[in-house]
Amino acid sequence: MSLMRLTILASALLTSLAGTAQSQTTLRIGIAEDPDILDPSIGRTYVGRIVFSAFCDKLFDIDEKLNIVPQLALSYETSADGKAMTIKLRPNVKFHDGEPLDAEAAKFSIERHMTLPTSFRKSELASVDHVEVVDPLTIKLVLKTPYSPLITQLTDRSGMMVSPKAAKEAGDKFGLHPVCAGPYKFVERVQQDRMVFEKFADYWNKDNIHIDRIVFQPIVDATVRLANLKSGALDLIERVLATDIKDVRADPRLVLSTAPELGYQGLTINIANDKAKGPLSQSAKVRQALSLSIDREAINQVVFNGEFTPGNQWVSPTHPYYQKSFPVPGRDIAKAKALLKEAGVSLPVTIDYMVPKGTEYEAVAQVVQSMAAEAGFGIKIRAVEFATTFKQAQAGEFQVFQIPWSGRIDPDGNSYIFMRSKAPQNDGGYSNPDADKLLEEGRATSNVDERKAIYAKLTKILLDDLPIIYIYHRTLLIAHTKKLDGYRQMPDGLVRVVGLKFK
C-alpha cells in the first residue's frame, strides 16, 4: 500500500508541476508499460502503438466497424492484376518540423520502412518492389506479387509517415526525437516516467484538436493505474484488470469502454534458438503435452472472472477466419503424460519461462506453471521489464515467452510475421516450408473462401508443430473520467485523441 500511495503522490506532483492553468487542457493517460523506441519503423510493442496514435498519423485508419478510412491519404486504387496500388495524398499536410508531406516524403517513409536494417516493417511490405512518384500528391506502390492485406498494413505503422529531413539528420537516433505528421508533436521522454506531447498548430485536422498537451505515464501495476484514475491524477487508463470491471462500473465518476481484441495471448516457443536445446524446442510432442496441460477456460475464470475468450488460434473463435474444425482443446493430463512418455524425456521437463512484469501477465504464468506441473513440467518463471523482454527474445534468451499480440484486422497480420521462416518477429526461429508456402498463398488472393481454405491447411500444420501455444483473447478494457468527452473505443485497442475534449 505504501508503494501505491507513493505512486499516486508522485503522479499528483507531476500534475501540479504542470501548473494549474494547464490542468484542464492536459490529458494524462496511464499505460501498462514503457514503450520501446518511438520510431514507427523499429517499434514493435502494443503500448508503443497507443503512443504513436497521438503523434504519428498513417496513410489510412480504421473505424469502429473495421472499415478502412482516409487519414493522410484521401483514396487508393488497386490495379486489375493486383500488382500496383495508387495512393492519393491529402494536400497541405505538414510534418512537425514544418516540412511538407508530399509524394516524395511518402515515398521516403515507405522505403525507409522497407530498407532500414533494423526495421520490423520489412515483412509487412515485402511484396512491394518499389515506390513511384506519379505527381506531387500521388504515389504508386508497385508489387512483386499481389498482396491482399497491403491496405490493412497501411492502417498501422507501415503507413506512418516521418519527416525525411528529420530522419536523415537523426539517423539511428530518430526515435529519441521523432517527427511525424500527427495531431501532437513530441516534447520529451523520461524513461519509465513520462512521454509529453503538445498540440501541433499546423495539423491538417486542427479544428478537431481540443486538448493542449498529452502526457503518457507508464504504470505497470494495474491497481495503481486505477487508483491514479480514481484520485484524479490520471484521466484515462488502458488495460483495466478484468477483476476491476465491477469496481469501475460502480464509480459514477468513471466510464468503461470495451471491445473484443483483434489479437491473441500466447506462449512463443523458442524452437531454433534455444541454446540449451531443451525438450520443448526439440519435440513437437512435448509442446503438444504442454498445450494439453493447460485449462484455458480455467485461466479465464480464475484470472479474468470469465470476461475473456479462451482460444487456440491466432484469431478468436468469433473471427470470420477462425477454423471451427479445430476447436479449443480441453485439458487432458493423461494424454499430456502419454505424449511426454512417447517423447522419451526425463521428468520434470524444466522450462525457462519469460513473462513481462505485470499483474495479469504474472498471474497467467503462475496458473500455467501450476497446471503444467501436474503433467510433468517444471516451469521456472522469470518476470522481466516489458521492453527488455523483446531484446532477450531477439537474442534467443528464453524457452517460453508469454507475450500478447494486439492484433491486426487481416489474419495475415496475426500470423506471417511470427510464422514465416526468418520473419522479423519470429523470435523462436520456427521454420516449415509447407507453412511458408501457405502463408505466401494467403497473401496472394483476396477471395475469402480461397483464403479460408488456405488457412485451414496452415492451422493444421501450426497446431501440430505448435511454435506458439495460443491461450486466450482479451476484451479491451479502457476506463476514463466522465469529464472526458468524445472517446470512442476502436477494436485495435488504440487511443484516438482527435475529437477528445474536457467537459
Side-chain angles (χ1 to χ4, degrees):
M1 289 298 293
S2 60
L3 175 62
M4 184 186 300
R5 284 195 294 270
L6 283 170
T7 304
I8 294 171
L9 287 170
S11 208
L13 178 61
L14 177 62
T15 303
S16 66
L17 288 174
T20 54
Q22 291 288 327
S23 62
Q24 293 305 306
T25 55
T26 297
L27 175 63
R28 300 152 302 172
I29 300 176
I31 52 180
E33 300 104 12
D34 200 29
D36 57 350
I37 191 163
L38 296 180
D39 182 331
S41 292
I42 304 172
R44 59 175 289 187
T45 61
Y46 165 57
V47 72
R49 293 173 67 218
I50 292 176
V51 177
F52 278 128
S53 66
F55 78 97
C56 232
D57 275 6
K58 304 157 290 190
L59 291 173
F60 301 93
D61 201 4
I62 61 170
D63 65 14
E64 292 98 326
K65 297 182 180 180
L66 298 180
N67 296 310
I68 308 293
V69 294
Q71 197 167 66
L72 293 176
L74 291 176
S75 63
Y76 74 97
E77 183 178 342
T78 303
S79 62
D81 63 2
K83 295 184 70 174
M85 177 183 287
T86 302
I87 299 172
K88 291 281 186 183
L89 299 173
R90 186 178 297 277
N92 304 314
V93 174
K94 291 182 180 180
F95 290 106
H96 298 149
D97 59 0
E99 293 292 304
L101 171 51
D102 55 15
E104 288 290 351
K107 178 178 186 289
F108 171 88
S109 290
I110 293 172
E111 289 178 343
R112 183 176 187 269
H113 290 321
M114 293 168 56
T115 61
L116 196 69
T118 52
S119 173
F120 284 109
R121 311 284 81 83
K122 289 180 181 179
S123 66
E124 299 168 4
L125 298 170
S127 65
V128 179
D129 183 75
H130 64 277
V131 183
E132 296 177 358
V133 172
V134 178
D135 62 42
L137 287 174
T138 308
I139 58 171
K140 179 188 285 188
L141 277 57
V142 180
L143 311 186
K144 303 168 189 172
T145 57
Y147 176 39
S148 59
L150 179 57
I151 185 62
T152 66
Q153 299 290 11
L154 299 179
T155 67
D156 204 83
R157 284 170 294 204
S158 288
M160 291 181 185
M161 301 288 101
V162 302
S163 164
K165 179 183 176 183
K168 289 173 184 176
E169 289 177 355
D172 60 3
K173 293 181 172 55
F174 177 77
L176 299 179
H177 197 103
V179 179
C180 293
Y184 292 83
K185 62 182 180 180
F186 179 84
V187 175
E188 68 168 343
R189 178 178 187 177
V190 179
Q191 292 287 149
Q192 306 295 332
D193 183 66
R194 66 186 181 274
M195 283 149 284
V196 181
F197 298 84
E198 64 182 27
K199 182 166 64 175
F200 178 45
D202 291 327
Y203 183 52
W204 63 268
N205 192 16
K206 62 184 177 183
D207 291 344
N208 281 321
I209 305 302
H210 310 293
I211 294 171
D212 293 326
R213 290 166 69 87
I214 296 181
V215 179
F216 292 94
Q217 293 178 239
I219 302 174
V220 174
D221 191 312
T223 304
V224 176
R225 280 201 306 281
L226 180 55
N228 274 264
L229 179 65
K230 287 188 165 194
S231 74
L234 292 173
D235 304 301
L236 182 148
I237 61 172
E238 56 107 6
R239 274 178 279 180
V240 172
L241 293 179
T243 49
D244 286 333
I245 289 176
K246 289 182 181 178
D247 188 15
V248 173
R249 285 180 171 156
D251 192 324
R253 301 167 300 170
L254 303 181
V255 176
L256 181 70
S257 296
T258 69
E261 77 166 345
L262 297 171
Y264 63 80
Q265 314 293 304
L267 309 179
T268 296
I269 312 298
N270 190 349
I271 293 178
N273 302 319
D274 177 17
K275 298 175 177 63
K277 302 293 182 186
L280 200 64
S281 66
Q282 303 302 301
S283 172
K285 288 183 178 180
V286 176
R287 297 191 288 276
Q288 290 163 10
L290 178 58
S291 178
L292 286 168
S293 74
I294 299 171
D295 187 330
R296 290 158 171 82
E297 180 56 35
I299 290 175
N300 182 36
Q301 295 298 330
V302 170
V303 183
F304 308 115
N305 277 4
E307 297 284 349
F308 291 177
T309 304
N312 69 322
Q313 297 174 31
W314 57 91
V315 293
S316 78
T318 60
H319 194 281
Y321 278 91
Y322 183 80
Q323 301 297 324
K324 294 180 180 178
S325 56
F326 300 97
V328 178
R331 190 183 192 217
D332 193 334
I333 289 295
K335 188 173 181 181
K337 288 180 176 179
L339 284 168
L340 290 178
K341 187 174 181 180
E342 288 176 27
V345 297
S346 300
L347 301 181
V349 177
T350 59
I351 297 173
D352 170 54
Y353 188 114
M354 181 169 67
V355 60
K357 290 180 179 178
T359 305
E360 287 185 338
Y361 290 142
E362 294 179 60
V364 170
Q366 289 160 6
V367 175
V368 170
Q369 179 187 49
S370 177
M371 289 177 172
E374 295 181 35
F377 291 93
I379 289 178
K380 297 179 180 178
I381 297 172
R382 183 163 50 89
V384 179
E385 188 274 324
F386 186 76
T388 304
T389 62
F390 290 97
K391 296 176 183 176
Q392 294 193 9
Q394 287 175 256
E397 296 171 3
F398 72 100
Q399 290 181 314
V400 169
F401 181 17
Q402 180 189 307
I403 186 63
W405 175 244
S406 53
R408 301 295 183 269
I409 61 177
D410 189 278
D412 175 85
N414 286 0
S415 53
Y416 190 99
I417 59 175
F418 305 106
M419 304 300 180
R420 181 67 166 86
S421 297
K422 298 182 179 179
Q425 296 192 52
N426 184 351
D427 294 324
Y430 173 68
S431 181
N432 183 316
D434 293 331
D436 288 350
K437 181 174 180 291
L438 292 166
L439 285 164
E440 296 296 344
E441 289 177 0
R443 289 184 148 196
T445 178
S446 57
N447 182 283
V448 173
D449 290 335
E450 288 178 7
R451 293 189 86 197
K452 281 184 177 179
I454 290 166
Y455 287 131
K457 296 175 185 176
L458 178 63
T459 300
K460 185 179 186 313
I461 292 173
L462 296 180
L463 291 182
D464 285 341
D465 291 349
L466 282 181
I468 297 178
I469 298 174
Y470 303 98
I471 303 178
Y472 63 95
H473 306 271
R474 298 175 303 178
T475 298
L476 300 168
L477 301 169
I478 292 181
H480 63 82
T481 172
K482 274 193 174 177
K483 296 177 182 177
L484 186 66
D485 191 36
Y487 183 76
R488 297 182 301 153
Q489 183 57 59
M490 297 295 184
D492 58 7
L494 306 188
V495 177
R496 268 63 170 193
V497 295
V498 174
L500 295 185
K501 63 177 69 173
F502 285 108
K503 296 177 183 178

